[in-house]
Amino acid sequence: MKPHVTDDEWQSLWGDLQDAAYTALCAALPGLYLSPTPPYCCPMTLAIDKPGDLGEGRVCVDTDARATVEIGDILLPVLCTAVDEVFGESWFDEAEGPLIDQEPGRFHYDDESTGAEWVLKLGKETGKVLIECVPVPETAALLDAIARAREAQSAPAPSAGPGEAVTLPA
């Protein structure tokens, strides 16, 4: 009996999936770049080196097309805004209300449907996101939210002429 999909076809399709993951993650968080993969790590490793801006760390994609993210040194307002946008307020254990209003500490969420583990470490000025086994689309959603929150934070404040009201971004 001959298989319907040959090893060559499977490998080609797998390469397409890895390329799609790379494209999606780099589009979601500008500044990610392909970096050497340590022997003990996933087949694809992306790195970012923008401390105090979009963060510093890495994103790995495993053989099951799930991502592991370790990015630290993200400005706290950026990280909290992005996470609350993606998950909603009070989604993480230990959080009651918006993340920006929480005391520094560790917050986690275990996704029983995907097996993903999400951990946030919030400091006084910066935070860190550590996630494991997260599907690439969910990872891209969070990275995109981080990039958009950073862009919104660095946008110039609107100005108004005398007697005009100004609407500030949320």
Side-chain angles (χ1 to χ4, degrees), residues 26-142:
C26 289
L29 187 65
L32 282 176
Y33 58 90
L34 199 56
S35 68
T37 299
Y40 59 83
C41 199
C42 302
M44 182 190 336
T45 301
L46 305 170
I48 188 165
D49 187 10
K50 294 188 173 216
D53 188 25
L54 292 171
E56 182 175 34
R58 65 188 174 106
V59 178
C60 301
V61 180
D62 68 15
T63 56
D64 294 322
R66 295 185 304 175
T68 295
V69 176
E70 296 179 33
I71 300 177
D73 203 21
I74 304 170
L75 294 173
L76 203 56
V78 170
L79 180 59
C80 293
T81 299
V83 171
D84 282 346
E85 176 189 317
V86 171
F87 287 96
E89 294 178 5
S90 302
W91 189 265
F92 282 74
D93 296 339
E94 304 92 24
E96 295 182 22
L99 284 170
I100 197 70
D101 295 340
Q102 305 303 307
E103 293 293 323
R106 183 179 183 273
F107 302 85
H108 76 280
Y109 167 66
D110 294 324
D111 185 346
E112 294 177 10
S113 65
T114 64
E117 297 178 44
W118 299 76
V119 175
L120 302 174
K121 293 181 179 179
L122 305 181
K124 290 183 180 185
E125 295 180 14
T126 62
K128 183 173 190 172
V129 61
L130 304 161
I131 59 177
E132 294 182 5
C133 303
V134 177
V136 168
E138 291 179 25
T139 304
L142 178 62

